[in-house]
Amino acid sequence: MIDAVIASRLQFAVTTIVHIIFPVMSMGLAPFLIYFTWKEIRTDEQVYQQLREFWTKVFAISFVVGTVTGIVLEFEFGTNFAAFSTAAGELFGGPLAIEGMMAFMLEATFLGIFVFGRDRVTDRLYMLSSVFVGLGTWLSALWILIANSWMQTPRGFEMAMQNGQPVVSLVDPIAAYANPRFPWMYVHMQNAAVLSVALFMAGVAAYFVWMNRDTAFWRKTMKIALAVLLISAPLQAIHGDAYGRHVAETQPQKFAAMEAQYDTDSSVGLKLLAFPTSFSDITDPRAENLFVIELPFVASILASGGDPGASITGLNDIPTEAPPVAIVFWAFRAMVGLGMWFILLAFWGGIRWYQGRLFDDDLLAKALVGSSLLGILTVELGWIVTEVGRQPWVIQGVMKTSAGVSPGLTGAEALATLVGFVGVYSALLVLYSYVLTRLIREEAPTRAATPTGDGNRGVTVPNDD
């Protein structure tokens, strides 16, 4: 039978990998929906009404499935990681409880108005509902990431004994909740969500343009998504560079795993591209066994903030068990590579837009369609780097993951629930994909906007060339 620790980690990984898709969609859509609502009220243009109505449906579907899959994660802390919950409950439970009572309830309450209340409330209240839905969505992420970032860089606590067991005692809530990792993680995650949704919107719009089924609706969608992509893609790279220096300072074993740096060295180059010379090198990516395209001194520059001769501590010199290097190393390479592609894609689209050929470049349309889900994939890779790179710790330097697993949990029980969750979550993901695909095919506008007869919002919108 599989070990209970391994099975529990795999179960939490599977449920998180599936769940994160839906918060990314809702968090990323929130700013777009606020903008669509504002433009609809301000201009009375029907295209913005259509944009708001269609993408609100996508948001609502993502919210529902995200709620179902997210609740399970919190139960897993008790079923699979009871020892961790007992030890860290005083600090960890607070942000999770506030997320449910404040952020989730704010979002859920005003979502009812936003989805069903357009013709029942004033423009001002409706606009307010869009803002509160978006605020609730982003506040949910805030409290979840406060909890997770504390696990990466724990502060504001001391260890105490309770019933003969060591537990975390909260002594400084501000230091704990405003820990060094939180601002980096929050900005990076929220921008990643917006970037992912911009890619998704641009990809779907490009499909209809490519298939000659484009309308003012899809042309406007593509332009707005591209404008956001032009800002968010470079910002993610710039912020990620600074974020990497913070990781090097606070979690040197994670940074060393990201670069597969086993020996402490100075003037270390950045492995821009790396290819294994044999199959075994995939699982043990050491510099001497890889064919690499390397930027000299860059890893040292990134780690130090500008010093090309800076030393990087190798995994062999860090007095703790190393994380699974291959997973972290390759996930980080894929994440960065995709990030560079997004920047190229954004500027490609921006140049075509400037030239007046945005809707005439079939190759660009195909590239956008092919990249529509890559933003979400990149978020998944980023979380793999974040969580796997922290191992073997569940709380960095305080508690190992193996010590946090429920003590009475057997390998057979953990394996049974793992298999069950893989089946259920796979079915949910397939169902979500089916509903979303059908929504896009059947309910998105596929012809030019026409007058509705409604003096408030019914105006003819020509194709937006």
Side-chain angles (χ1 to χ4, degrees), residues 6 29 67 84 90 109 120 183 226-227 230 237 251 257 263 272 296 319 332 362 374 382 396 413 452:
I6 298 298
L29 276 170
T67 301
F84 163 74
E90 181 175 325
T109 299
R120 295 177 174 85
L226 183 57
L230 279 164
Q251 292 179 301
D263 299 315
L272 189 63
F332 181 71
D362 285 347
L374 293 183
Q396 180 71 39
E413 292 169 338
T452 63

Side-chain angles (χ1 to χ4, degrees), residues 145-204:
L145 292 179
I146 281 176
N148 186 275
S149 62
W150 179 83
M151 296 164 66
Q152 309 282 340
T153 53
R155 299 288 190 277
F157 74 100
E158 62 182 23
M159 298 304 296
M161 296 300 294
Q162 184 177 23
N163 297 326
Q165 293 184 336
V167 297
V168 171
S169 178
L170 179 63
V171 296
D172 187 346
I174 294 177
Y177 296 161
N179 64 78
R181 178 60 51 85
F182 168 69
W184 295 103
M185 185 174 281
Y186 188 73
V187 172
H188 208 64
M189 181 63 206
Q190 300 311 99
N191 189 67
V194 174
L195 169 59
S196 299
V197 168
L199 279 166
F200 180 74
M201 294 173 69
V204 174

Side-chain angles (χ1 to χ4, degrees), residues 349-371:
I351 291 170
R352 286 291 183 259
W353 189 354
Y354 178 77
Q355 295 172 337
R357 298 173 53 199
L358 180 59
F359 306 113
D360 301 325
D361 190 335
D362 285 347
L363 186 59
L364 172 62
K366 293 175 183 178
L368 287 169
V369 172
S371 302

Side-chain angles (χ1 to χ4, degrees), residues 254 257-258 323-333 384-385 388-390:
K254 181 184 292 187
M258 287 159 55
V325 177
I327 296 174
V328 179
F329 178 80
W330 294 115
F332 181 71
R333 309 253 99 55
I384 288 171
V385 173
V388 177
R390 188 184 65 221

